Amino acid sequence: MIFQSSIVILAVRGQVFGLPAVKNQPQPSSLNHKVTENKLKSGSSTDEGSDKISRASITVQVINGDQKGSGVIIRDKQKKLWIVTNRHVVGESLNVCVLFSDGNILPGIVFRPRRAENDIAFISYAQVNANTSYADPDLLFDTESVSLVLATGYAASTNTYLETSGVTIPMLRGNVLESGYSLTYSNQVEKGMSGGGIFSDDGQIIGINALHSEPLWIGDWYDSRGMKVKASLGKKLDTVSVGIAIQTIFSQLDRLEVKNNIKGVADDCPNKNMIK
């Protein structure tokens, strides 16, 4: 990254982006060490540990048969805890298994928003720890700003928690792509990190991962109206990671229909040592 006056020239996988400089923010290498209090919330007290440990504590691995992805613990207006992930992680399954950072594996029930076109799903689970931490959302985050961010999740190749640093690269001019995608950023997102959180430098969650850069298949990109985007924009989108903004996630969560006394939760989740 080369700083020139108020413009940053950023080259990402062969594509060059001219972006406004990130003001008054630390270099990406410092993101793993900066302590941010009151951003990751607990039922009784603030997590005083390091940021990385805190982010890991609210990140889960979602296991759907042979399919594995990630998710983040969030809280709705009724103070109920949920795990948010991608719809493509859970597929059509009604139940999944969730691996938490403490090694516990619990069954969860999948809920999908009414808007089927959004790549969002929510997982309800039986909370066993009253002090479970959850992510603090930045509902005012500007998706058209240039900000240092961390992408988190569980890499499927190693089943381990991973963080990568990068910057948001605004290129959609406030528009939304199909499936609710509106965040574009330079972070490397590995297979299995879909559904993992994207965090700002002050510790708040601004969205979740959805698509990694340089996909195995190259296809056309469409906006939320079903219109194909320009080829020049499509080529740039192929070189960056793409996510869903936290505002979209909470908008869908607020309208989620949840039935009481839900039954049919799977109880055949594997032991942690059985996960490969």
Side-chain angles (χ1 to χ4, degrees):
M1 198 184 316
I2 304 170
F3 287 86
Q4 296 181 346
S5 183
S6 61
I7 299 295
V8 176
I9 306 301
L10 179 64
V12 180
R13 301 173 186 89
Q15 291 288 335
V16 177
F17 302 89
L19 308 173
V22 183
K23 298 179 180 179
N24 301 322
Q25 296 202 36
Q27 293 300 309
S29 59
S30 68
L31 287 175
N32 290 337
H33 308 290
K34 182 173 177 288
V35 174
T36 55
E37 297 182 356
N38 299 321
K39 295 303 181 184
L40 298 176
K41 298 183 177 179
S42 171
S44 61
S45 62
T46 301
D47 190 334
E48 298 290 342
S50 71
D51 268 5
K52 186 170 183 178
I53 293 175
S54 297
R55 286 187 292 268
S57 70
I58 61 172
T59 304
V60 303
Q61 186 175 44
V62 179
I63 305 165
N64 177 27
D66 294 331
Q67 173 87 6
K68 287 179 287 188
S70 300
V72 186
I73 302 173
I74 59 175
R75 191 173 78 161
D76 65 16
K77 292 180 179 178
Q78 287 72 43
K79 299 184 178 181
K80 172 180 170 55
L81 296 182
W82 294 86
I83 294 164
V84 60
T85 187
N86 294 126
R87 185 184 288 258
H88 74 257
V89 169
V90 299
E92 298 301 318
S93 297
L94 300 178
N95 304 299
V96 293
C97 297
V98 181
L99 171 63
F100 292 81
S101 62
D102 61 5
N104 283 326
I105 299 181
L106 298 176
I109 303 174
V110 177
F111 290 86
R112 298 169 180 82
R114 278 187 170 184
R115 296 194 62 176
E117 66 271 20
N118 281 341
D119 191 14
I120 301 171
F122 299 100
I123 301 170
S124 176
Y125 66 99
Q127 186 179 346
V128 295
N129 184 350
N131 296 324
T132 300
S133 297
Y134 55 92
D136 180 31
D138 182 358
L139 296 176
L140 299 178
F141 181 79
D142 181 5
T143 58
E144 290 301 297
S145 65
V146 181
S147 304
L148 296 171
V149 292
L150 280 169
T152 66
Y154 280 81
S157 58
T158 59
N159 289 318
T160 55
Y161 176 77
L162 180 66
E163 292 186 351
T164 63
S165 59
V167 296
T168 53
I169 306 177
M171 60 176 67
L172 297 177
R173 298 180 179 179
N175 295 317
V176 179
L177 297 173
E178 64 176 347
S179 301
Y181 305 142
S182 60
L183 280 174
T184 48
Y185 48 108
S186 66
N187 306 56
Q188 183 70 31
V189 174
E190 304 288 340
K191 183 178 180 181
M193 291 175 66
S194 290
I198 309 167
F199 292 88
S200 63
D201 71 303
D202 66 355
Q204 291 182 289
I205 187 170
I206 64 167
I208 61 172
N209 305 315
L211 304 174
H212 57 77
S213 62
E214 300 180 325
L216 295 177
W217 62 94
I218 301 296
D220 295 320
W221 290 87
Y222 294 85
D223 63 21
S224 58
R225 301 167 299 173
M227 303 293 291
K228 186 187 297 186
V229 305
K230 293 182 179 180
S232 57
L233 175 58
K235 288 181 179 180
K236 290 182 178 180
L237 288 169
D238 287 337
T239 66
V240 298
S241 296
V242 179
I244 301 175
I246 197 66
Q247 295 95 325
T248 302
I249 292 168
F250 272 84
S251 173
Q252 294 298 306
L253 182 59
D254 289 343
R255 296 198 292 266
L256 193 67
E257 293 186 357
V258 181
K259 297 180 180 179
N260 295 325
N261 302 320
I262 301 169
K263 299 180 180 180
V265 180
D267 194 27
D268 55 352
C269 292
N271 181 281
K272 179 180 180 181
N273 296 327
M274 296 171 60
I275 301 175
K276 299 180 180 179

